[in-house]
Amino acid sequence: MRKFRSILALVLALVMSMGMVAFAEEAALPSADVEEQGYDFYDGAVEYNEIRESLGPVPALDEEITLGFTTKTFENEFWRMEKEGAEQAAQMFQDAGYNVTIDVRGAQTETDEEGQLTLLLDMVNKGYDAILISGISAGNLVPGMEAALEAGIDLTTVMDAFVPYASTTVGAWHYQAGVQGAEWIYNKIGGEGQVACITGLSQATAAQARTQGFNDFFADKEGIEVVAVQNGDWDRQKAYDITQTLLQQYPDLGGIYCNNDTMAMGALEAVVAAGSECVIVGTDGTSEALESIRAGELDATVDFFPTTMGAIGVEMQIRKLAGQEVPKVIYAPQCVRDIDNADMSFEEIFGYEYAPIFE
């Protein structure tokens, strides 16, 4: 059975890559220029905090619309929070008189690439007006995205796995998150010591960018030694095992940056078990991470405010359906949360309470 699954995965990957080439030859993809420059380095990218007012009120939309949203597993709190944000935004639009329905569904696991593709294809077949996606990898949803564009269905990526098939991407500035996490550790340990990074799935573009930001920040820091960059696959137990081994090899390890909070919590468990003073910084801003910070356990997380991010994704998609042009890349609000600001609200941190602007 395992061999069969491996062969099936290989065939699927081949079909995906062939499909991408064939589709690209027929028509320019909506965000081909973003792909060329790189999502985290796109010169047309904007931060939502800087454009929220200049976007103006959401244009009127008289017709009934149905949005689909295929995301990652709800076993991970981040994606549950993103789902909640998308549904909350849809409710805001309904309360404002927009006839909007949203269908949010998640893959079974973090690696369920085929299952996520099935969800997307079902939404395309049902003829949804637009679909938001949070792909597991850059390639697993390609056949579904091709089918969507051929059917005239607009796509918006919300967090992770940038793809040129989507006309807009709303998400974290992943590279900057790696820089922010690394900088926090650097300052915390006084600019000297050994550090490490535990990464997400190797094929995940978000993990790649966050890790690059971490590595780039420390590249010219003479007092710092990066002793390890190891793949934890977004998994708590794997992060625990990696940290346990690292602490045995490097008992004076000063800090670990993790590509998500799930792994950060696993790393924290290993640090506590070893009685180590190693600081741990996660990424995502899940409630578990924030509660742990308030309790004086986890040191920090780069908070992406996933509920707000999901809401912004819905807002941008509706703006597009209403005929408004929006930027191709919008970085959602993010910041490092530690004991100093863990109790602060979104409004206290950024100076406004999120809500679409209506006429």
Side-chain angles (χ1 to χ4, degrees):
M1 178 62 72
R2 184 175 299 174
K3 182 176 181 181
F4 173 77
R5 289 177 178 171
S6 299
I7 295 174
L8 181 60
L10 181 61
V11 171
L12 179 61
L14 179 60
V15 170
M16 288 178 182
S17 62
M18 292 175 64
M20 182 179 290
V21 172
F23 192 89
E25 290 176 349
E26 293 177 5
L29 299 177
S31 294
D33 56 332
V34 180
E35 181 180 45
E36 183 177 355
Q37 294 183 31
Y39 162 80
D40 282 270
F41 310 98
Y42 182 54
D43 59 16
V46 299
E47 295 185 54
Y48 181 79
N49 290 342
E50 297 179 354
I51 66 164
R52 55 180 294 271
E53 294 184 358
S54 62
L55 286 170
V58 181
L61 190 61
D62 296 329
E63 66 268 24
E64 177 182 355
I65 62 170
T66 300
L67 303 178
F69 194 167
T70 176
T71 183
K72 299 187 187 182
T73 177
F74 298 139
E75 292 178 350
N76 185 320
E77 185 193 17
F78 184 92
W79 307 111
R80 292 199 306 273
M81 295 171 72
E82 184 187 76
K83 173 182 183 291
E84 292 168 2
E87 292 173 340
Q88 288 172 13
Q91 186 62 55
M92 290 180 188
F93 277 94
Q94 291 170 14
D95 294 343
Y98 291 72
N99 196 343
V100 177
T101 301
I102 189 166
D103 174 17
V104 187
R105 285 183 266 167
Q108 292 297 311
T109 67
E110 290 280 7
T111 58
D112 183 23
E113 297 188 356
E114 296 172 42
Q116 190 183 41
L117 173 59
T118 299
L119 296 178
L120 176 56
L121 288 171
D122 182 59
M123 293 176 180
V124 172
N125 291 336
K126 289 180 177 177
Y128 287 177
D129 296 283
I131 302 174
L132 296 88
I133 56 176
S134 295
I136 290 175
S137 70
N140 74 295
L141 296 179
V142 168
M145 292 185 293
E146 289 181 350
L149 293 191
E150 289 172 356
I153 299 173
D154 187 55
L155 300 171
T156 294
T157 297
V158 184
M159 190 65 171
D160 274 2
F162 165 80
V163 289
Y165 296 84
S167 60
T168 301
T169 299
V170 174
W173 191 352
H174 301 295
Y175 177 86
Q176 186 64 17
V179 172
Q180 290 172 308
E183 183 177 23
W184 193 95
I185 292 173
Y186 180 75
N187 292 331
K188 185 68 174 180
I189 66 177
E192 295 183 353
Q194 298 173 324
V195 299
C197 177
I198 301 179
T199 75
L201 284 171
S202 59
Q203 68 266 39
T205 54
Q208 296 164 9
R210 293 172 198 174
T211 303
Q212 182 181 344
F214 170 88
N215 286 328
D216 286 354
F217 178 84
F218 284 124
D220 61 352
K221 304 299 186 293
E222 295 183 358
I224 296 293
E225 179 187 6
V226 178
V227 297
V229 176
Q230 295 192 23
N231 190 341
D233 290 340
W234 307 124
D235 186 83
R236 187 174 189 139
Q237 184 61 49
K238 288 184 180 180
Y240 176 93
D241 294 339
I242 290 170
T243 303
Q244 186 179 53
T245 300
L246 286 175
L247 292 174
Q248 292 171 353
Q249 296 175 332
Y250 307 100
D252 296 325
L253 187 64
I256 300 175
Y257 168 64
C258 298
N259 280 178
N260 76 351
D261 284 339
T262 299
M263 295 188 298
M265 297 309 295
L268 175 63
E269 290 173 7
V271 165
V272 171
S276 171
E277 296 297 320
C278 179
V279 298
I280 305 295
V281 177
T283 313
D284 283 341
T286 62
S287 63
E288 181 184 19
L290 292 173
E291 289 170 5
S292 182
I293 291 171
R294 295 185 187 107
E297 300 164 347
L298 183 66
D299 295 284
T301 180
V302 182
D303 194 345
F304 290 151
F305 301 91
T307 303
T308 302
M309 186 184 297
I312 293 173
V314 170
E315 175 191 342
M316 294 304 134
Q317 185 60 75
I318 293 178
R319 285 181 179 276
K320 287 189 291 179
L321 289 174
Q324 185 178 22
E325 290 188 12
V326 302
K328 290 187 177 182
V329 174
I330 300 171
Y331 297 141
Q334 66 186 59
C335 72
V336 175
R337 304 287 294 276
D338 57 19
I339 194 63
D340 293 331
N341 64 1
D343 287 323
M344 295 175 65
S345 67
F346 181 93
E347 182 178 6
E348 290 172 327
I349 292 173
F350 295 105
Y352 67 91
E353 184 176 356
Y354 173 77
I357 300 174
F358 301 108
E359 293 184 354

